[in-house]
Amino acid sequence: MTYSIKNMLDVEDSALKYKTDEFMEARFPREELDAAQTGLAHIRVKPGKRQPFAHFHDHGEEIYYVLAGAGNIKLDDAIEPIGPRDAIRISPGTTHQLEAGPDGLEILAFGPHHAQDGDLIYEGFWD
């Protein structure tokens, strides 16, 4: 097939599987879309919450696009306010984490798909 269409609400919420659903929803439709090289994530950080981990990629550049809500993104040592229609490019090696404001934060994240590209940081990044 030369194309794929999938409603994001029909994609598994990985936050449920990894028990981070108190903080966020996270849907990664790469397999459902049969995407061989492109990664996509639909992330909703709940109002007043922060993602329960920061992360970085060794090789993959990411672009975040804010669909709705507002909040902050921490990029290494910088904390930047973000809101609707903001696009944020994140270089490989840049550790990053999202924090939602009172209305929550909804983003799409785009980047190449690399298995085992980077790592998660669970404690101390925002401090």
Side-chain angles (χ1 to χ4, degrees):
M1 176 157 286
T2 60
Y3 65 89
S4 303
I5 299 173
K6 189 69 174 183
N7 187 292
M8 290 297 232
L9 294 178
D10 294 331
V11 176
E12 176 187 25
D13 179 2
S14 293
L16 290 170
K17 180 167 64 173
Y18 293 105
K19 298 182 180 11
T20 59
D21 54 306
E22 172 186 343
F23 307 96
M24 59 191 275
E25 293 178 27
R27 300 175 197 286
F28 302 92
R30 189 180 57 80
E31 290 180 13
E32 290 85 349
L33 292 171
D34 297 318
Q37 300 175 12
T38 304
L40 170 65
H42 180 227
I43 307 292
R44 288 183 178 165
V45 182
K46 294 185 178 182
K49 300 287 185 177
R50 185 181 294 155
Q51 285 179 302
F53 55 84
H55 75 283
F56 65 89
H57 298 278
D58 293 321
H59 305 288
E61 176 181 74
E62 284 187 295
I63 294 179
Y64 283 10
Y65 181 77
V66 180
L67 295 171
N72 296 300
I73 185 168
K74 185 167 185 196
L75 302 151
D76 288 334
D77 293 328
I79 297 174
E80 299 288 343
I82 56 175
R85 294 175 294 286
D86 282 343
I88 304 103
R89 182 192 60 83
I90 304 166
S91 297
T94 301
T95 302
H96 50 287
Q97 185 176 23
L98 295 166
E99 176 182 66
D103 295 326
L105 181 62
E106 182 176 8
I107 70 154
L108 289 177
F110 302 89
H113 173 69
H114 295 287
Q116 304 300 319
D117 178 35
D119 208 352
L120 301 177
I121 300 166
Y122 286 99
E123 294 182 22
F125 175 66
W126 204 279
D127 303 329

